[in-house]
Structures are given as structure tokens and as C-alpha cells.
Amino acid sequence: MDLLDQIFKAGVVGAGGAGFPTHVKLNCKVEYLILNGSECEPLLATDKYLMRTKAKEIIETLEKIAELIEAKKIVIGLKHKYKSEIESLQLAIKNMNSRVELHYLDNFYPAGDEQILVYEITGKTIPPAGIPLHVGAVVSNVGTVVNINEALNNTPVMYSYVSVLGEIRNPVILKVPIGTPIIKCIEEAGGSPLNDYSIILGGPMMGKILNKSDLEHSVITKTNGAIIVVPDNHYLVERDKISIEHIINRAKSACIQCSYCTQFCPRYLIGHPIEPHKIMRTLSLSKNEEIIKETQLCSECGVCELYACPMGLSPRQVNIFLKNELREKGFRYKNTESEFYAREGRENRKIPTKRLMARVDVIKYYGQEIEESKEIFVSTVKIPLQQHIGKSATSLVNIGEMVTKGQQIGSVEKGELGANIHASISGKVVEVNNFIVIENEKMEDEA
Ligand code: SF4
Ligand code: SF4
């Protein structure tokens, strides 16, 4: 069986972001294979942990992927402040006599945005609405490469590594069976000292805010890497509650057209034709369709609203709203230019991560001591059949059936955009819907 088949069989998807099926992504020939080791968002610790502890597996796997896609260069992009990770990777490279190179980045946000990372490493701007493939690159996440390594050993994706930090008694990186309730991860980290808290699933800039009642139904999937516990009245939680009507009304009345949102926009700075201040302006005029189209180039990184805007406005939310309207009308951005160049002054407008953390009120969690990986055991998992972009998997099991850990329980056809799903614990199937619930009463005892 070749590597692509092994990856498909194991159900590997992009471990960060939207979960693009990896067997589809790697079905190409490119010049650059890039490993994104720069933790796009502030505070996240999982990728660093994996680079420190699984350096040998990562380098070995990158070499195999590079062979598959015929990459001439293999580059790991990571921040130069990651001293221990650099040490571990350098040692593995040396011991294996590998051709993997390390590319060091400053500590800025969003260094781990795929498009920014590709620009930093190759000096090429991916065309607007394009993907790394358009400039001869493929970018993989650290967790994805670790999962490919497991796939090479015939082990399917059954776990996510998740950092639990913030307002929590024992910040920790957990190895969590897919389908584990998020609330269980919080308990395993000693619980929160706060009675009223919300969580950010992902990083503080782009993560999803969930309140305590959302948590009752939420589980860990293949794409989750962090849980940040914050007070219920945290700045980011309060912002998340503001309605889009209010956001648009404020944009119309309070935008002073200073253009800071554009001047700091990371996508504008690599040369894309997106100018959020003009999008904001068009809200109070008759809508200019040409400008509205630019919303499709927004990565939703949040720099404009959480860092740049002196009026506390939300160009990002406006973009998301307008983008959805365009999507409903079936509009897709068409790029007509062939060359793009980074704007002058880009280097001076990179956002220092520490300043950003202070701005969004998470600096107090920076440098929290985080316990290194602890595997958790659960008696029930609720495994979604769709944890990836594309088609949902079809259940292969029925209620009452016994399954074993690692058994395939959901499938997609080989040529489809989708991913197979596997049982993350052994036990009895008690529910099949758009998720599969497995129960095993003995499991808690194993912990
Ligand atoms: S969220 Fe704002 S800063 Fe980020 S890409 Fe979109 S417009 Fe630019
Ligand atoms: S930074 Fe704020 S006030 Fe300035 S143009 Fe952008 S949205 Fe308007």
C-alpha cells in the first residue's frame, strides 16, 4: 500500500484549521514541502510539545512525504525563540543525515497563517483566493505529520493532543480520544477555580467561544488543539456577544477612515487587493460590488478589529457577514492578475505577539507552566462523522454492535473529499446519528 493509501485509510485530515483531507492535499508534485511549526495563535503549546518530543518521527515522516510529492526542499518554519524545539529538531536532522531545513521566524502574529508562512519562506505571494500549490508549495501542520507517522505504522487517527490552559488549576497538554466531551478535558486539568467561565476552543484570535451550556454538547475532534478557559466577562467573550446589526450600525457611524485596519492587514501586506477600510466605507454608501468582493480575501485573522482599529470597530465581522452573503449568491472570487508583491513597510507592521496578547487581555496566561502530555481515559465518546471539509463519512456500525479501539466505524469512498472515522475507545455503539456514541463502562477504571 502506498503512502497516500495509508493516509486515506487512517483518516488523516489537517490537524489545525478546517480539517482538509490529507490524502487529497498530498496528491500533487511541488517544489516545497513546508511544515508549519510556528503556532499561528498566541498561547498555543501543542505543536511545540510535539516538535520537542517527536522530532525524530516528524523528520522521518517529512522525508517520506517529500519523496511522495517529489519536493526539492523540505522546510520547517518555526519561531527563533523556540529554543528547545530547535535543539530537538536539529539533533534529529543530524542523526538522520536529513535534508530538512529550519527557517526561523520572528515572534509576530500571524506567522503561522499558511499564506504568510509561505511568503516568509519562499518570498512568493500566493495569488488572492489561491492555495500554496499555486506557488509550488504544500504546507502541513505538525499534528498532521504526527498522524501521518502513526498511519505509516497502521494506526489510524484516534487522538488529538490538546493544550488546556488559562483559568484552570493544572494547565496541561492532554492526549485525548476523539469524541471526548470538552468538559472532561477541563476536569482532567483540575477544573477551573472560577464558577462562571467560558472557553475559547482554539487560539484567542480565531478560536470559537463556547459558554458553559455549549460545553455540554461539545466534543474533541481531529482538528482541536487548544482549550483556553477565560472568565465569563472576558473582553473576547463580551465582544463575541455583539450582534452583527449593532456591528454594522457602529461601522456606519463611527468609522473615521483612518485606514489602520488596512495598513496592518496581513493579507494586504503580502500584496492582496483587500482594503478593509474601504469595505467599511462602502457600508454607509451605496454598496460597491467590486469592493465587497474583496471580503472573500479576508482570512478572518482578527488583526483589524482586535489590534488595529482605534475605534473598537469590527472590520472582520463585517467581512464575514458580507462574505456569507456573497457565498449564498454563489459568488466566487476570480483573480485576474498574475503577479503580486508585498507592500513596502510590511516588515515594520508585523504585530508583536506579546503586544497583541496584552491587547486581547490574555497576557496573564502567557508563560503558564504547562504539564507535559497526560493521556486521558473516558467511558463514553461521541464521534462526529464529519470532522473535516467535504463529505460526511457514512456509518459502518449499528446500535448494539461491539467495536474495538482503532476499528473503522465511518467511511468515505477513495475518490471523495472526506475522511474515514475510527473508534477511539472499545465498547458498545449506543447511538448512530450524524455522530457515533460508544460506551464502555470499564474504561474509567483503566485510568
Ligand atoms: S481579519 Fe482583518 S486584518 Fe485579518 S485578513 Fe481580514 S481584513 Fe485583514
Ligand atoms: S481602523 Fe477602524 S476606524 Fe480606522 S478605517 Fe478601519 S474600521 Fe475605520
Side-chain angles (χ1 to χ4, degrees), residues 139-158:
V139 181
S140 258
N141 179 278
V142 175
T144 313
V145 170
V146 168
N147 283 335
I148 296 175
N149 179 269
E150 297 273 325
L152 287 167
N153 298 314
N154 296 317
T155 307
V157 182
M158 293 181 284

Side-chain angles (χ1 to χ4, degrees), residues 50-344:
L50 293 173
M51 288 191 289
R52 276 196 310 277
T53 56
K54 295 183 182 290
K56 179 177 166 288
E57 291 87 336
I58 289 171
I59 301 296
E60 202 174 77
T61 311
L62 285 175
E63 290 277 6
K64 292 205 168 116
I65 300 170
E67 201 178 308
L68 173 79
I69 62 176
E70 295 176 15
K72 292 187 188 68
K73 289 186 176 215
I74 316 171
V75 186
I76 301 179
L78 77 175
K79 294 180 179 168
H80 53 60
K81 69 169 206 148
Y82 294 174
K83 303 287 182 222
S84 346
E85 293 74 20
I86 290 172
E87 217 172 280
S88 304
L89 290 166
Q90 277 175 338
L91 184 66
I93 290 168
K94 189 166 163 249
N95 288 345
M96 276 181 259
N97 198 18
S98 163
R99 63 187 172 115
V100 173
E101 296 167 34
L102 303 185
H103 181 102
Y104 305 121
L105 300 145
D106 292 333
N107 191 19
F108 73 97
Y109 177 79
D113 172 341
E114 199 168 78
Q115 304 234 352
I116 307 301
L117 185 70
V118 168
Y119 177 78
E120 290 281 332
I121 290 175
T122 67
K124 295 178 192 168
T125 293
I126 297 169
I131 56 172
L133 200 58
H134 294 135
V135 293
V138 153
V139 181
S140 258
N141 179 278
V142 175
T144 313
V145 170
V146 168
N147 283 335
I148 296 175
N149 179 269
E150 297 273 325
L152 287 167
N153 298 314
N154 296 317
T155 307
V157 182
M158 293 181 284
Y159 297 96
S160 276
Y161 288 89
V162 182
S163 318
V164 189
L165 48 103
E167 300 290 347
I168 199 85
R169 289 197 178 87
N170 308 313
V172 62
I173 296 169
L174 298 171
K175 184 179 175 187
V176 187
I178 305 284
T180 296
I182 287 179
I183 201 81
K184 174 79 179 167
C185 300
I186 294 171
E187 285 165 16
E188 289 285 333
S192 174
L194 304 176
N195 283 330
D196 298 315
Y197 63 83
S198 292
I199 68 145
I200 305 171
L201 192 57
M205 297 297 287
M206 298 177 74
K208 192 172 169 202
I209 309 263
L210 301 177
N211 60 35
K212 256 185 166 173
S213 59
D214 298 325
L215 287 184
E216 284 167 28
H217 319 285
S218 305
V219 295
I220 293 296
T221 69
K222 293 177 184 180
T223 61
N224 297 137
I227 296 169
I228 305 172
V229 182
V230 292
D232 243 354
N233 60 355
H234 187 272
Y235 172 71
L236 293 170
V237 179
E238 292 297 332
R239 273 196 87 111
D240 191 60
K241 290 179 190 157
I242 305 172
S243 71
I244 186 65
E245 290 77 19
H246 188 70
I247 286 170
I248 289 177
N249 284 337
R250 284 207 62 221
K252 286 180 181 172
S253 61
C255 176
I256 54 173
Q257 284 296 292
C258 63
S259 84
Y260 288 171
C261 48
T262 297
Q263 290 174 41
F264 285 99
C265 171
R267 294 293 173 97
Y268 168 79
L269 289 171
I270 57 165
H272 286 185
I274 173 170
E275 294 178 280
H277 76 286
K278 291 189 181 163
I279 299 168
M280 295 295 268
R281 186 166 65 204
T282 202
L283 287 175
S284 23
L285 306 169
S286 60
K287 278 188 187 168
N288 179 328
E289 292 298 327
E290 281 310 304
I291 289 177
I292 303 275
K293 283 178 191 170
E294 293 178 6
T295 57
Q296 298 224 322
L297 306 181
C298 172
S299 67
E300 303 173 19
C301 71
V303 163
C304 49
E305 69 178 43
L306 296 174
Y307 185 84
C309 183
M311 303 301 288
L313 304 179
S314 303
R316 166 172 61 175
Q317 296 304 335
V318 168
N319 287 350
I320 293 172
F321 176 73
L322 294 173
K323 241 197 306 192
N324 287 341
E325 277 192 346
L326 288 178
R327 196 172 299 131
E328 277 163 23
K329 288 182 198 158
F331 174 82
R332 284 186 75 128
Y333 187 91
K334 281 198 190 73
N335 172 41
T336 49
E337 307 291 321
S338 58
E339 293 195 17
F340 300 89
Y341 299 99
R343 319 257 175 193
E344 214 172 300

Side-chain angles (χ1 to χ4, degrees), residues 364-408:
K364 52 183 169 266
Y365 309 128
Y366 176 66
Q368 258 186 342
E369 211 158 296
I370 302 178
E371 187 191 332
E372 301 241 313
S373 186
K374 170 176 154 193
E375 182 168 349
I376 68 171
F377 299 88
V378 286
S379 55
T380 304
V381 289
K382 179 180 169 184
I383 304 176
L385 284 163
Q386 178 138 33
Q387 302 176 42
H388 47 263
I389 280 184
K391 196 171 175 266
S392 174
T394 306
S395 172
L396 298 174
V397 291
N398 296 308
I399 294 174
E401 211 172 304
M402 296 303 291
V403 294
T404 51
K405 186 171 158 183
Q407 180 181 330
Q408 189 177 338

